């Protein structure tokens, strides 16, 4: 039995089965002892691969079904994943002995968790609801009221938790309790930052959620396969099972897939149209220039040998390349971070919910880094192109009363006048 | 020499001098031994009081000067306080031995600190700048560009720090490094959440920053004085020097001061007008109904005995009561939290920047809780009265080009025309 010299724990077969996907099982000691032994030659590993493949296929199938069902269901999936992650992470640094002396201390975590949920989603939900229920005056007022006071409600829920924490501080447990308090907050930030961005992406068009998420999965699988068959050179000390061969192979795979997938996904209005309310029906929209093909004529020698004269590219495919680049170069650092963390606290996996993969959190590490990037990228480089007049007009007609609309109109007119005559 | 039984450290005279303001030195053991001994009878404490009073007067004087100088200077003061707090808190959980083996690890903290600063203030600054420089086409475009890409820039600065952290992880130091990483993030959240809210308050009108901040100071001083002269009954185990007498006396003082101060501050346009740009000149505005006196006629017997027939109240004074209530009941929990934290990590003070008070952080604990509340309160119960039109106008002027603004104006006009003649 090999000893994993970095964690100091024996890596039993069952332990290995639960290794992370991008891992390539080139354990430094072993590779020194046996020369550059490839994983592909290690027969005992095929069983592990089978289990992983099996659960991967199931996950992808379920995922596709949810995508087909639409925005609200994807959102629900995100919430479920979040709750599982919260569960895994909350119990990670918990000490049973200390907890027994602190009744109700675990509930406090969930109090903060659901307060954060109310804050992040309440905000988002009510904005969408306003769009959904404009026809009903009473509901409209109710939702407007909720939007208006949502911050106060969440703030007081938070403060209640904060006071609860302080009033239940127990002598000799201070350090443990403050540690747990900080840990809870770290979890909430990590889990909710990413999920807030993810949900925002979904409603900008499933495309902006699906493409980044798929690319992370493809990069994971790519690294696993390339590492499995060619992995020799260790990539990073932190995570001795990752190899340069896996990393580079996966990068090329991911970038190619990014370009191809964007072309395919870009053809479905279901994926490209934004959804501005909470309805679930079919979507129709003008997807905009980004999703209209541009034609590039090919160089002289291609038409001579092949029956193609020009190639059509959706402009969004260039954006997809940037996202693919990020997914293959920077997002893996999310995985390194998680590896380092697990090493620091001497744990193998964050949980055991998915056979062959570990916990949900183990599968989400890079996804989290990616979701934030995808959102910021979309907001900064994609969305502004169709920001503007129509959007603001929409807001004006939706959120202002007739009198307010008129007031706005008059003020604008005044500003133009001032500007024309050079007044401040 | 008395033994402080909760921290287990002997409380030397110099240690006591640096105790927190609201403390009242009724150490449980001592009070049991000597009967209900009041602090006012303890002659050795007057020197400590003198030092505190002296630095308090200096602080209040400097503060008043800064208020007089205006919004930008108050902002600068907030930034300076922030940097000091960062310095105090960063060094708190640091271990010299570990740090010597991790060159550059301290810089990483400041990298994250200034990234957070760029994020929070860059966002705010550029919005104000847009209003300041609308006359200059080039600057206007530059600032618009900065607004547009600020998120991307900050994100990549953050990611750079994140990758730096991962690549400098060192074997056997993992746990310390991850601990420091989490601690850094906690500090950034605490320090920047509150300062972002504080700065927002300042520009809504100095009133909304000055009143809450003053009330915390008044509550602190009130608790100190009432505790000093009457303090007997311990309030909370966490902080054995706080007493119920101090707490209740301070509450009444704070609420009365809230009502009176709001009346005084409400009369200065310098304090009540919002500032929408970065200019520093004098402010004129219509402060709105909140700051216009309402008259209440007094009950029958008062005019009989006194020469008053009615009393004038600014509506904002009722809001001030709510803020005073929060400052005296809930904000002190910020202090309890800090006490508990110091106890958990066995430290006396967060620093020693202010003679008689400890570190800057020691003076800011309740201020932080207060600033967030003041902002949320203002946004939810005060601002909405002139919400909407102003906000959308802001958006229009900031995000649209001149041509787009005109297009919006024309479309709005068309819609009104259609509406008038009953068209859809």
């Amino acid at each position: 039995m090999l000893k994993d010299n970095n964690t100091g724990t024996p890596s039993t077969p069952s332990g290995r089965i639960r290794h992370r996907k991008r891992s390539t099982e080139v354990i430094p000691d072993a590779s020194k002892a046996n020369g550059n032994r490839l994983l592909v030659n290690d027969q005992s590993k095929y069983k592990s691969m089978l289990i992983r493949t099996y659960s991967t296929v199931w996950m992808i199938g379920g995922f596709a079904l949810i995508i087909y069902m639409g925005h609200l269901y994807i959102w629900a999936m995100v919430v479920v994943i979040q709750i599982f992650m919260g569960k895994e992470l909350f119990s990670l640094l918990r000490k049973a002995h200390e907890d027994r002396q602190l009744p109700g201390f675990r509930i406090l975590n969930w109090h903060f968790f659901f307060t954060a949920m109310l804050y992040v989603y309440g905000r988002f939900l009510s904005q969408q609801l306003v769009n959904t229920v404009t026809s009903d005056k009473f509901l409209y007022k109710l939702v407007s009221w909720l939007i208006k006071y949502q911050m106060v409600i969440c703030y007081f829920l938070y403060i209640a938790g904060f006071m609860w924490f302080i009033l239940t501080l127990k002598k000799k447990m201070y350090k443990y309790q403050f540690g747990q308090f900080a840990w809870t907050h770290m979890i909430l930030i990590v889990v909710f930052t990413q999920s807030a961005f993810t949900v925002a992406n979904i409603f900008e068009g499933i495309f902006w959620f699906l493409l980044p998420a798929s690319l992370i999965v493809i990069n994971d699988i790519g690294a696993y396969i390339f590492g499995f068959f060619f992995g020799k050179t260790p990539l990073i000390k932190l995570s001795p099972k990752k190899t340069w061969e896996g990393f580079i192979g996966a990068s090329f795979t991911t970038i190619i897939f990014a370009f191809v997938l964007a072309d395919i996904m870009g053809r479905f209005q279901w994926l490209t149209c934004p959804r501005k309310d909470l309805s679930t029906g079919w979507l129709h929209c003008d997807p905009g220039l980004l999703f209209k093909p541009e034609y590039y004529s090919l160089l002289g020698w291609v038409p001579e040998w092949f029956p193609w004269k020009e190639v059509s590219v959706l402009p969004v495919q260039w954006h997809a390349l940037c996202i693919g680049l990020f997914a293959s170069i920077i997002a893996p650092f999310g995985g390194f971070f998680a590896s380092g963390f697990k090493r620091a606290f001497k744990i193998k996996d964050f949980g055991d919910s998915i056979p062959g993969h570990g916990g949900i959190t183990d599968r989400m590490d890079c996804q989290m880094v990616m979701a934030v990037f995808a959102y910021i990228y979309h907001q900064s480089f994609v969305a502004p192109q169709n920001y503007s007049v129509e959007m603001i007009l929409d807001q004006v007609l939706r959120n202002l009363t007739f009198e307010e609309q008129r007031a706005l109109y008059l003020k604008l007119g005044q500003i133009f006048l001032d500007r024309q005559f050079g007044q401040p």
Side-chain angles (χ1 to χ4, degrees), chain A:
Chain A
M1 191 175 291
L2 294 165
K3 186 100 169 162
D4 181 334
N5 65 329
N6 283 44
T7 58
T9 54
S11 65
T12 60
S14 75
R16 269 195 216 144
I17 289 172
R18 285 154 82 219
H19 275 153
R20 306 196 56 262
K21 205 183 254 164
R22 235 163 318 109
S23 34
T24 53
E25 292 290 336
V26 177
I27 296 164
D29 281 0
S31 65
K32 268 176 218 148
N34 309 346
N36 284 322
R37 192 170 63 105
L38 287 182
L39 195 60
V40 68
N41 302 325
D42 180 352
Q43 294 299 324
S44 77
K45 289 297 127 201
Y46 282 103
K47 194 188 155 204
S48 139
M49 200 192 193
L50 199 71
I51 294 180
R52 299 198 89 148
T53 311
Y54 186 74
S55 43
T56 304
V57 168
W58 267 102
M59 280 197 287
I60 291 177
F63 187 68
L65 180 67
I66 289 170
I67 294 290
Y68 174 77
M69 288 165 74
H71 304 70
L72 279 181
Y73 296 90
I74 306 176
W75 186 359
M77 177 189 73
V78 171
V79 172
V80 170
I81 289 178
Q82 248 183 324
I83 293 175
F84 270 92
M85 281 178 64
K87 218 179 131 196
E88 287 178 5
L89 292 170
F90 280 144
S91 56
L92 210 61
L93 301 190
R94 194 168 277 147
K95 290 173 190 158
H97 173 70
E98 270 85 351
D99 267 12
R100 236 169 291 131
Q101 295 181 273
L102 299 167
F105 196 60
R106 301 174 71 138
I107 302 170
L108 187 56
N109 285 340
W110 290 104
H111 172 81
F112 283 123
F113 188 87
F114 287 107
T115 302
M117 194 170 258
L118 187 67
Y119 177 72
V120 171
Y121 292 148
R123 201 165 193 71
F124 189 79
L125 185 67
S126 44
Q127 275 170 15
Q128 307 280 320
L129 264 178
V130 165
N131 294 340
T132 314
V133 299
T134 31
S135 55
D136 185 316
K137 265 258 162 178
F138 170 74
L139 261 179
Y140 181 80
K141 282 215 169 151
L142 182 75
V143 172
S144 309
W145 184 87
L146 278 178
I147 293 181
K148 200 168 149 191
Y149 296 114
Q150 188 235 5
M151 249 198 347
V152 183
I153 297 166
C154 291
Y155 180 71
F156 274 105
L157 282 172
Y158 179 82
I159 283 288
F162 181 71
M163 290 169 70
W164 179 3
F165 168 76
I166 290 166
L167 293 174
T168 54
L169 278 170
K170 220 171 169 179
K171 238 179 185 178
K172 289 187 184 164
M173 310 287 263
Y174 290 154
K175 206 161 179 175
Y176 174 72
Q177 286 181 298
F178 274 95
Q180 286 284 316
F181 189 76
W183 176 234
T184 302
H185 280 72
M186 288 301 293
I187 292 171
L188 294 186
I189 292 155
V190 169
V191 171
F192 280 96
T193 310
Q194 68 96 2
S195 67
F197 285 120
T198 304
V199 173
N201 281 342
I202 293 166
F203 283 81
E204 292 288 347
I206 298 178
F207 183 94
W208 299 105
F209 156 74
L210 183 58
L211 182 73
S214 313
L215 291 180
I216 293 291
V217 174
I218 287 165
N219 195 60
D220 264 15
I221 296 177
Y224 186 63
I225 292 176
F226 275 89
F228 194 90
F229 290 104
F230 309 106
K232 277 186 195 172
T233 332
L235 172 63
I236 187 169
K237 272 186 204 160
L238 214 57
S239 201
K241 288 165 217 93
K242 298 195 174 79
T243 59
W244 273 105
E245 288 80 3
F247 185 77
I248 293 170
S251 296
F252 279 104
T253 316
T254 305
I255 289 169
I256 293 167
F257 264 94
F259 199 74
V260 175
L261 277 182
D263 190 22
I264 299 171
M265 291 181 187
R267 288 165 200 277
F268 296 96
Q269 294 206 353
W270 183 243
L271 301 179
T272 58
C273 291
R275 183 167 310 265
K276 299 266 176 225
D277 54 33
L278 292 178
S279 58
T280 51
W282 200 237
L283 274 174
H284 290 290
C285 68
D286 174 16
L289 285 176
L290 270 183
F291 296 99
K292 295 228 166 69
E294 285 174 355
Y295 296 91
Y296 297 90
S297 44
L298 289 168
L299 289 172
W301 63 268
V302 183
E304 278 174 28
W305 292 84
F306 298 98
W308 305 319
K309 282 197 177 153
E310 50 177 22
V311 65
S312 84
V313 177
L314 306 181
V316 78
Q317 287 179 272
W318 307 121
H319 288 300
L321 282 186
C322 296
I323 294 175
L325 214 62
F326 187 91
S328 57
I329 310 288
I330 297 181
F333 277 82
F336 302 157
F337 184 85
S339 299
F341 184 88
K342 286 186 266 193
R343 217 158 266 276
F345 291 92
K346 306 225 161 80
I347 46 175
K348 194 106 211 136
D349 284 315
F350 287 108
D352 51 8
S353 328
I354 321 170
H357 289 262
I360 297 259
T361 315
D362 297 272
R363 293 290 77 235
M364 295 305 294
D365 46 10
C366 307
Q367 291 287 6
M368 289 191 275
V369 178
M370 189 74 221
V372 178
F373 175 77
Y375 178 77
I376 292 177
Y377 185 87
H378 181 267
Q379 289 298 309
S380 305
F381 300 109
V382 181
Q385 294 173 359
N386 29 352
Y387 192 64
S388 67
V389 180
E390 286 305 319
M391 237 185 64
I392 290 202
L393 196 64
D394 232 46
Q395 249 181 313
V396 171
L397 299 179
R398 207 184 299 132
N399 298 329
L400 300 187
T401 63
F402 286 175
E403 294 73 42
E404 286 174 328
Q405 291 175 16
R406 188 160 287 276
L408 178 73
Y409 180 72
L410 295 176
K411 279 194 184 183
L412 265 179
Q414 188 57 46
I415 287 167
F416 295 153
L417 266 181
D418 289 353
R419 215 177 263 158
Q420 238 164 3
F421 296 108
Q423 281 169 24

